[in-house]
Amino acid sequence: MRKFIPVAEPLFEGNESKYLVDCITSGWISSVGKYVTRFEEDFAAYIGCKYGVAVHTGTAALHLALAALGIGHGDEVIIPTLTFAATANAVIYTGAKPILVDVEKDTWNIDSQLIEDKISENTKAIIPVHLYGHPCDLDKILEIAQKYNLAVIEDAAEAHGTEYKGEKVGRAGTISCFSFFGNKIITTGEGGMCLCNDTVIAEKIAKLRDHGMKKDKKYWHDEVGFNYRMTNLQAAVGVAQTERIDTFVMRKRENAQLYSSYLSDVEGLILPTEKEWAKSVFWMYSILLKKDHYRITRDDLIASLKKEGIESRPVFYPLHKMPPYKQNGLFPNAEYISVSGLSLPSSVTLKDEDIAYICKTITKYLHT
């Protein structure tokens, strides 16, 4: 029987074990330890930001970013409707309201041409999500933000190493947020980080991360904060993963090129795009089945691949379709992508023959 090919899995072939043993033998295993600081510094430097604040999830990073900017009850934050629920949840945690915008047909990212129509006197921020590793149209988003005096919080949970016009995403906005969940390009199991270039904002995020406790007055809390700290154990894994991030990004892109070489001539499939100004990391290599082109549906294909030992996943549901986030409006692109798209195995552990087998199996079922 052929081996099971997961949609994502981590790779630990660097210094992960060495650094973890160092944590354990030293006794520094909680949120104080040299690896937390080192991870913050190393990852911030990789992206090109001055400050990094490590936290225990990517969702916590988004929540802290919003809280540090004072966003709360009565405020509105513009986000794409096609994204993981964490983007909206973080807004709701603050008491603010997420305002949903449709996405572009080709990049699947927030359609910057539709943002201004959603801005009101209550709008305080925009969260562009670099979905599946392709960058958003940052110039246009930043132009709108400057015009209306809005903060920009880049949701780069899936975009470690993604570039927009030659610079890594995560350095252009007011704050950027990354996730280090187990399926991300680098992982700490669970984890996240806020990055920024503003000393005051960085200190505010760090304070809120640690229960709102004053840095220079132990156990004195002058505001309500959160327990969002990252452990030294997690950070040790993060340091080791960051040491190899360029290798991971390169392999992701090689996988995407190989997928495209096998699937580009398959009629009825729409493959992921990469704009001329973009460097995508193809966090998940995700394809679309053209509407009514095949007798087999997207869900049928997922089920058929599973029988062959290949895990795949549907793309995200649009937020406006789900009860907690339901909003009126027209979101045709997000709806089409959601019912037609699936993500294929995208791990850096994939072998060339795995990709060849996956593509051969897809082609077989599409023409059944």
Side-chain angles (χ1 to χ4, degrees):
M1 184 177 176
R2 189 175 178 87
K3 71 173 185 178
F4 174 70
I5 304 176
V7 74
E9 64 179 351
L11 180 62
F12 302 123
E13 292 184 347
N15 288 315
E16 290 87 357
S17 295
K18 175 184 174 182
Y19 296 159
L20 282 170
V21 169
D22 184 34
C23 288
I24 292 167
T25 55
S26 70
W28 294 101
I29 62 169
S30 292
S31 58
V32 178
K34 66 181 180 182
Y35 288 105
V36 176
T37 302
R38 182 173 164 187
F39 184 35
E40 290 172 339
E41 292 174 350
D42 289 356
F43 190 74
Y46 173 75
I47 298 300
C49 289
K50 290 181 181 178
Y51 308 108
V53 182
V55 296
H56 70 185
T57 65
T59 308
L62 287 166
H63 186 197
L64 283 175
L66 291 157
L69 295 174
I71 292 170
H73 291 276
D75 295 334
E76 294 177 352
V77 178
I78 291 175
I79 68 172
T81 190
L82 191 67
T83 183
F84 184 57
T87 313
N89 289 343
V91 176
I92 293 168
Y93 295 163
T94 68
K97 180 181 180 181
I99 302 298
L100 306 179
V101 175
D102 200 12
V103 296
E104 296 173 331
K105 188 180 293 186
D106 51 1
T107 70
W108 304 7
N109 287 324
I110 189 168
D111 190 335
S112 58
Q113 303 302 318
L114 302 177
I115 290 174
E116 283 196 84
D117 288 342
K118 297 295 183 84
I119 293 174
S120 75
E121 61 182 13
N122 298 318
T123 307
K124 294 297 187 294
I126 306 169
I127 304 181
V129 180
H130 304 295
L131 199 70
Y132 293 108
H134 191 287
C136 296
D137 181 7
L138 283 172
D139 281 352
K140 180 62 176 177
I141 292 167
L142 292 168
E143 177 188 322
I144 293 168
Q146 185 175 25
K147 179 178 177 181
Y148 293 94
N149 193 30
L150 305 176
V152 173
I153 300 171
E154 291 182 70
D155 184 338
E158 304 163 3
H160 315 60
T162 295
E163 294 182 10
Y164 174 76
K165 296 187 176 179
E167 291 194 348
K168 290 185 179 67
V169 300
R171 58 194 295 179
T174 315
I175 305 171
S176 61
C177 300
F178 289 82
S179 168
F180 306 118
F181 183 63
N183 62 11
K184 299 304 190 290
I185 290 178
I186 67 168
T187 182
T188 57
E190 284 277 11
M193 194 177 296
C194 293
L195 301 182
C196 68
N197 291 307
D198 186 295
T199 306
V200 174
I201 291 175
E203 289 178 350
K204 180 74 168 180
I205 293 170
K207 181 182 179 184
L208 290 174
R209 169 187 65 177
D210 191 17
H211 295 284
M213 184 165 55
K214 283 179 69 70
K215 185 178 180 180
D216 57 354
K217 194 174 182 180
K218 194 72 171 176
Y219 304 129
W220 182 263
H221 305 259
D222 54 5
E223 60 184 316
V224 175
F226 314 95
N227 183 9
Y228 281 171
R229 296 166 297 192
M230 175 179 279
T231 68
N232 203 40
L233 290 165
Q234 290 172 295
V237 176
V239 170
Q241 290 270 289
T242 303
E243 290 172 348
R244 304 190 65 215
I245 191 169
D246 286 331
T247 301
F248 295 160
V249 169
M250 180 176 68
R251 184 58 190 164
K252 284 278 192 179
R253 289 178 55 78
E254 289 172 351
N255 287 347
Q257 290 169 5
L258 196 54
Y259 266 125
S260 294
S261 71
Y262 283 119
L263 297 175
S264 59
D265 293 332
V266 180
E267 270 191 61
L269 287 185
I270 300 174
L271 306 185
T273 191
E274 184 177 49
K275 294 288 194 178
E276 66 278 0
W277 40 260
K279 178 182 176 181
S280 176
V281 294
F282 299 97
W283 169 65
M284 287 285 175
Y285 190 89
S286 302
I287 61 175
L288 292 176
L289 273 64
K290 287 184 180 177
K291 187 176 181 181
D292 300 328
H293 193 91
Y294 298 109
R295 282 180 289 181
I296 189 172
T297 67
R298 186 274 310 273
D299 292 343
D300 292 334
L301 181 57
I302 289 173
S304 298
L305 291 174
K306 185 177 180 180
K307 291 177 185 176
E308 303 283 357
I310 301 166
E311 184 184 21
S312 58
R313 293 180 185 173
V315 302
F316 301 127
Y317 287 102
L319 294 172
H320 71 273
K321 287 284 191 179
M322 294 186 281
Y325 324 106
K326 204 166 186 63
Q327 288 183 21
N328 295 324
L330 298 176
F331 306 94
N333 292 338
E335 291 178 10
Y336 175 62
I337 292 164
S338 177
V339 299
S340 306
L342 70 153
S343 297
L344 302 177
S346 300
S347 303
V348 296
T349 57
L350 279 176
K351 293 180 170 52
D352 290 358
E353 55 264 34
D354 294 330
I355 295 174
Y357 170 68
I358 293 164
C359 294
K360 182 180 178 180
T361 307
I362 290 171
T363 304
K364 178 179 75 173
Y365 280 104
L366 288 179
H367 293 106
T368 299

